[in-house]
Amino acid sequence: MDLHQLWTILSLPDNVPIVLLLFVVPFYTWYGLRQAFANDRLIAQLEGDPAMAKTHHRKVQPFKTGWTREVHVWPYLLRIEFLAAIIVTVILMVWSITLNAPLEEPSNPTLTMNPSKAPWYFLGLQEMLVYFDPWMAGVVMPSLIIVGLMVIPYIDTNPLGNGYYTYKQRKFSILTFIFGFIVLWVSMIVIGTLIRGPGWMWFWPGTTWDHNRLIFEVNRDLPDLFGITGRVAKIIFGAIVVGLYLGAAGVAIHKLITKTAFNRKIYARMSVLQYIVMQTFLVIMLALPVKILIRLMFRIKYIWVTPWFNI
Amino acid sequence: MADTNGHDGKPASAGTPAAGGNGASGSGNGGNGGSKLQAVIAGAKATQTRAIEELKETVKAPEKTDVWKSVLRVKHDETPRSRALGVLSNVFLHLHPAKINRDAVAYNYTWGMGGMTFYVYITLVFTGTLLMFYYHPSKIVAFRDILYLESDVPFGKLLRNMHRWGAHLMVIMVELHMFRVFLTGSYKKPREFNWVVGVLLLVLTLLLSFTGYLLPDDQLGFWAVTVGTNMARATPLLGHAGPFGPQLGMTPFNDVRFGLLGGSIVDANALLRAYIWHCVAIPIIASAFMVVHFWRVRKDGGISGPAPVMLESEIKDVKKI
């Protein structure tokens, strides 16, 4: 156990945001889901008692008859904003006084940094480079993430859960977002920051970053495993395998979308276009963990080998 | 107050008949001059008294002065109408409605992340502008400017630290804001488009942070930007190392990476481009989107909740076109 190495990584000024992220993201996930479960209990109660549903104010917040529904922004909101501004300023000041921004040596194109890492918020993408070629990890995937986030409101046809925390009424969308945000985005940032060392090799926290470590890893392409050597044969074989994945993932996602009676109800509200767009983005999103598993478990680098691109 | 008046009044009233008496008898010049002087002093004292009195009134009730009224335009009393006007008629506060849902001010619903992001953005603009006074976007002096800033400029180190950590804080806050908006389903009707604007703001935030990374011109920024822009050369169709790029005639000197860096390597042009994107272009674009973002929050009916829960049995059938 090399605690010194661990401390060196954790105390690197630019890694402090990741350490912060490690605490803040779980906290707010808990904070949000706790309110979601509280609302779910209220929903269950109201669904079991139609008479109560007609008269209840339908919030878990404390309420007394006679209280006004609205309050003045001045002072009830503005004082909170003022306080928040002061607190943020204090945090930023203290952080800036106690910790100096990093400044390395002057830039030198002849001296490569090892490991040379992107800023922390892009480390998820850099980590993706291990599993995909740059055109995929650096260009196609980020674009799809951006567009995929933008289309969310237009493909989510579930009218429930608009403006309040709930888990029960939006299980599928909440689990999908948590999978994308926490399991893929945040955890890959954490891996890229804390675990990837020199040569972008995997060093468990607590092990020493050995700059001379070599890993004799033989990465194979899937067509080679099946003994396919011809160029055209490889293209056709890869296309078939990728096609099979798309089909299988599509079927699996369809099963998931139409699993419960409620899910089928929401599914019935979707237009064909909404369904196709949703399937496309979910299938591609799922391809990332699938490729990671294939790479880590079977040491397979490419599935589809062509003269123009490799996947 | 009354005492001072009485005290000041006495010599003034005593002085006037004395002056008149002098004029009537036509006695010595010295006496005449002395009484004139006394009159002037008495007048000055009266003016002083008046000034003190007016000043006291101003201090006691500044809201009654013309200057105050001209600045704030409306009266402020302890009335609901006045409280509403205090927000609505103020250029900085008028983004707020006059009244909001009583539960919406509780921290647990919004987490305050959107507002705090905007506040951090303002501090970044402030510290960034100050940093611009000490920085030249030139390969020769950029790194030295940072050293100078850190060692010689008063509070220079604090300024740079605040800008750096503020940027990190902003990225974290934007992501958490997005997380909250998703968990509360706030992107649903009628707020779909504002979510799209928010995604664009997230991208702009990341780009702002990334373009700022190169500016110190140290090893950290140089290699981060090298790694980052090397991906651009693999852009499908538009990069010289990307799928179908070479077939479309892409070389290191005409592809999308060349456009980003202003050259085929990260050098002086790249530094200048990063500087202009970071300090001028992206802040303007981001500010424009922020205006739209905040405006849409209001136009879409204020913040989304906490709304009363809806039950499954209350779902209305979807309208078929």
Side-chain angles (χ1 to χ4, degrees):
Chain A
M1 196 68 180
D2 186 353
L3 287 177
H4 179 70
Q5 178 72 58
L6 192 64
W7 176 245
T8 312
I9 298 169
L10 288 179
S11 63
L12 204 69
D14 257 0
N15 286 351
V16 170
I18 320 296
V19 180
L20 196 66
L21 219 58
L22 278 177
F23 291 98
V24 169
V25 169
F27 170 75
Y28 278 107
T29 310
W30 167 81
Y31 198 44
L33 287 181
R34 196 178 71 120
Q35 295 177 72
F37 295 142
N39 273 329
D40 287 347
R41 285 192 292 275
L42 176 68
I43 288 163
Q45 201 182 359
L46 294 180
E47 274 171 344
D49 189 350
M52 188 185 175
K54 272 184 190 153
T55 54
H56 196 271
H57 58 85
R58 298 200 171 194
K59 288 185 191 175
V60 287
Q61 276 82 6
F63 179 79
K64 273 185 193 152
T65 44
W67 277 4
T68 49
R69 210 165 56 82
E70 291 183 320
V71 291
H72 276 286
V73 162
W74 175 279
Y76 297 105
L77 178 60
L78 288 178
R79 67 180 179 196
I80 295 174
E81 290 179 350
F82 184 59
L83 202 62
I86 290 174
I87 292 170
V88 171
T89 311
V90 168
I91 290 174
L92 199 56
M93 279 277 189
V94 171
W95 188 355
S96 304
I97 290 168
T98 50
L99 203 65
N100 282 330
L103 187 68
E104 306 268 339
E105 289 161 32
S107 67
N108 184 354
T110 57
L111 188 70
T112 314
M113 299 252 289
N114 189 15
S116 89
K117 290 187 177 183
W120 65 268
Y121 37 83
F122 286 148
L123 283 182
L125 303 178
Q126 203 177 349
E127 173 67 15
M128 246 197 282
L129 278 173
V130 178
Y131 312 104
F132 288 106
D133 275 358
W135 68 274
M136 192 78 176
V139 184
V140 174
M141 282 298 201
S143 311
L144 286 177
I145 292 172
I146 295 166
V147 179
L149 283 171
M150 283 184 187
V151 300
I152 285 176
Y154 301 101
I155 56 175
D156 186 353
T157 53
N158 182 355
L160 298 180
N162 187 347
Y164 54 91
Y165 290 97
T166 175
Y167 169 70
K168 207 182 74 175
Q169 291 182 334
R170 299 175 55 213
K171 268 184 198 167
F172 183 77
S173 50
I174 286 195
L175 288 178
T176 311
F177 194 84
I178 285 183
F179 178 71
F181 176 60
I182 295 177
V183 179
L184 294 182
W185 185 251
V186 174
S187 69
M188 277 172 71
I189 286 175
V190 171
I191 289 172
T193 312
L194 303 183
I195 293 178
R196 292 298 181 176
W200 207 255
M201 281 187 273
W202 190 285
F203 290 89
W204 286 106
T207 51
T208 313
W209 279 13
D210 178 5
H211 282 258
N212 298 316
R213 185 166 91 156
L214 290 171
I215 299 177
F216 292 100
E217 201 174 29
V218 185
N219 283 315
R220 307 157 296 182
D221 296 341
L222 193 65
D224 297 338
L225 285 183
F226 285 84
I228 296 164
T229 48
R231 204 165 95 172
V232 180
K234 274 185 177 177
I235 296 174
I236 295 170
F237 176 78
I240 291 171
V241 174
V242 171
L244 280 177
Y245 162 74
L246 294 179
V251 170
I253 287 165
H254 181 82
K255 284 242 165 83
L256 216 58
I257 293 175
T258 56
K259 202 174 158 214
T260 66
F262 177 71
N263 284 351
R264 283 192 291 278
K265 209 163 158 182
I266 302 305
Y267 167 66
R269 297 168 70 89
M270 292 178 103
S271 71
V272 178
L273 184 63
Q274 282 174 324
Y275 179 76
I276 291 172
V277 171
M278 189 168 171
Q279 272 282 10
T280 310
F281 281 109
L282 288 179
V283 164
I284 295 171
M285 183 172 150
L286 201 62
L288 177 61
V290 167
K291 188 76 199 282
I292 291 176
L293 285 180
I294 289 177
R295 176 61 181 273
L296 293 181
M297 289 172 71
F298 304 110
R299 289 185 285 112
I300 290 170
K301 191 165 189 217
Y302 294 127
I303 308 292
W304 192 1
V305 183
T306 75
W308 314 285
F309 64 87
N310 301 311
I311 291 176
Chain B
M1 201 68 213
D3 274 0
T4 332
N5 269 335
H7 178 73
D8 279 9
K10 259 178 205 165
S13 56
T16 316
N22 279 339
S25 62
S27 64
N29 271 335
N32 196 8
S35 64
K36 266 186 185 171
L37 190 67
Q38 267 180 339
V40 170
I41 290 171
K45 275 193 176 166
T47 312
Q48 185 197 14
T49 315
R50 217 175 104 194
I52 289 172
E53 214 169 311
E54 283 171 4
L55 204 65
K56 278 186 176 170
E57 264 173 37
T58 308
V59 171
K60 210 187 275 176
E63 67 274 8
K64 282 183 183 157
T65 59
D66 284 344
V67 174
W68 183 286
K69 282 179 195 163
S70 80
V71 173
L72 289 183
R73 295 198 301 123
V74 284
K75 265 204 284 183
H76 290 275
D77 318 314
E78 287 296 311
T79 61
R81 180 187 138 77
S82 166
R83 279 183 166 178
L85 281 178
V87 173
L88 296 181
S89 65
N90 182 309
V91 66
F92 299 108
L93 303 180
H94 85 283
L95 265 169
H96 300 89
K99 281 180 156 191
I100 49 165
N101 188 331
R102 74 171 310 119
D103 300 325
V105 294
Y107 178 79
N108 59 3
Y109 180 74
T110 63
W111 305 350
M113 284 300 164
M116 285 197 278
T117 305
F118 182 53
Y119 178 71
V120 173
Y121 177 73
I122 292 171
T123 62
L124 284 172
V125 170
F126 182 73
T127 54
T129 309
L130 291 179
L131 286 172
M132 281 170 80
F133 284 116
Y134 299 102
Y135 179 81
H136 306 78
S138 134
K139 202 72 181 163
I140 302 162
V141 288
F143 186 77
R144 285 185 201 184
D145 280 343
I146 305 294
L147 291 181
Y148 173 69
L149 184 83
E150 290 207 330
S151 53
D152 288 332
V153 176
F155 298 107
K157 204 162 199 169
L158 181 69
L159 206 59
R160 180 165 123 81
N161 290 351
M162 278 185 78
H163 198 72
R164 180 81 167 208
W165 304 138
H168 285 335
L169 204 60
M170 186 168 162
V171 174
I172 294 177
M173 281 174 169
V174 166
E175 289 183 358
L176 287 175
H177 175 58
M178 191 173 213
F179 190 36
R180 190 284 291 179
V181 168
F182 190 91
L183 284 183
T184 56
S186 303
Y187 57 82
K188 296 186 177 190
K189 224 169 217 146
R191 298 181 177 81
E192 297 102 320
F193 184 68
N194 216 11
W195 168 272
V196 176
V197 175
V199 173
L200 289 173
L201 280 171
L202 167 76
V203 175
L204 288 170
T205 305
L206 295 178
L207 286 178
L208 264 178
S209 198
F210 187 62
T211 48
Y213 222 69
L214 180 66
L215 298 184
D217 196 31
D218 63 343
Q219 280 285 68
L220 199 63
F222 178 84
W223 286 105
V225 171
T226 303
V227 169
T229 50
N230 273 349
M231 295 197 196
R233 80 168 104 205
T235 310
L237 310 178
L238 295 175
H240 72 271
F244 306 109
Q247 285 86 344
L248 288 170
M250 289 298 158
T251 68
F253 304 101
N254 65 359
D255 67 349
V256 63
R257 181 169 173 273
F258 188 88
L260 289 175
L261 294 178
S264 57
I265 52 165
V266 180
D267 205 10
N269 281 351
L271 188 64
L272 186 60
R273 283 187 188 207
Y275 178 76
I276 292 168
W277 280 114
H278 185 76
C279 301
V280 184
I282 304 180
I284 290 175
I285 299 169
S287 299
F289 276 107
M290 272 181 224
V291 170
V292 177
H293 199 61
F294 301 155
W295 182 75
R296 277 302 293 251
V297 171
R298 284 297 305 279
K299 292 295 156 188
D300 293 339
I303 68 162
S304 58
V309 299
M310 193 177 155
L311 303 183
E312 200 188 317
S313 54
E314 292 162 350
I315 298 179
K316 290 193 184 83
D317 281 338
V318 66
K319 268 186 244 163
K320 293 277 179 210
I321 305 159

